[in-house]
Amino acid sequence: MDQAAEDGDSMSPAGGIVSVSAAFEGSGGIADARELARSFLTDVQAGHGLHVSERAKGTVQLVVSELVTNARKYAPGPCLLALEIEDATVRISVWDSSTTLPAVSAPDPCRVGRHGLEIVMAVCASFTVHREPPGKRITAAVVLAD
């Protein structure tokens, strides 16, 4: 199986954090990660009454897709995805086994490809990278409402 999912803490927004996490391996992991993000946000809206704008749904799926794609492309082994909602923001965290930090290329409208990290940094409220042995964790935050 390409994906192994494990639900994290699932408290109500008033009481703290709502989260889900999964490990992805193999070529199907990217689509599975996007689907996990979509269904998580749908469940948060229906089950916890938080408003999640269409913009936020699309942005979270885009960020998940870009971060998981990079992890699968540049790091051996599985990657771990965690989605966490706290204070009307979803925190997207992707861990992979590579210690190489991502490099953002200078803006170049003539360059074909390699714009994903630029886009992620432009659409997120925050973006951080931390080395966590034996790899690194990239965390981005998206506000749920417009």
Side-chain angles (χ1 to χ4, degrees):
M1 178 175 220
D2 282 348
Q3 172 190 352
E6 175 185 320
D7 285 338
D9 297 331
S10 191
M11 300 166 58
S12 72
I17 298 171
V18 176
S19 66
V20 67
S21 60
F24 296 96
E25 260 189 294
S27 60
I30 298 160
D32 293 339
R34 275 193 309 267
E35 175 56 25
L36 178 67
R38 187 203 61 74
S39 64
F40 175 65
L41 293 177
T42 299
D43 292 349
V44 162
Q45 189 161 5
H48 296 282
L50 281 177
H51 174 68
V52 180
S53 72
E54 289 302 314
R55 178 210 47 85
K57 288 177 188 175
T59 300
V60 168
Q61 288 179 75
L62 170 70
V63 171
V64 164
S65 183
E66 290 295 336
L67 296 181
V68 171
T69 295
N70 287 349
R72 299 301 310 129
K73 186 174 182 179
Y74 298 112
C79 69
L80 306 175
L81 167 67
L83 301 169
E84 208 173 74
I85 294 182
E86 188 172 22
D87 298 328
T89 300
V90 62
R91 192 175 11 227
I92 303 150
S93 184
V94 175
W95 176 90
D96 68 49
S97 62
S98 173
T99 57
T100 304
L101 299 180
V104 179
S105 302
D108 179 358
C110 296
R111 183 177 66 237
V112 176
R114 297 187 346 251
H115 293 280
L117 206 49
E118 287 176 66
I119 294 167
V120 167
M121 292 174 76
V123 300
C124 291
S126 67
F127 179 88
T128 60
V129 180
H130 296 283
R131 282 197 170 104
E132 289 186 8
K136 68 179 168 300
R137 180 175 306 277
I138 298 175
T139 304
V142 175
V143 177
L144 292 176
D146 294 334

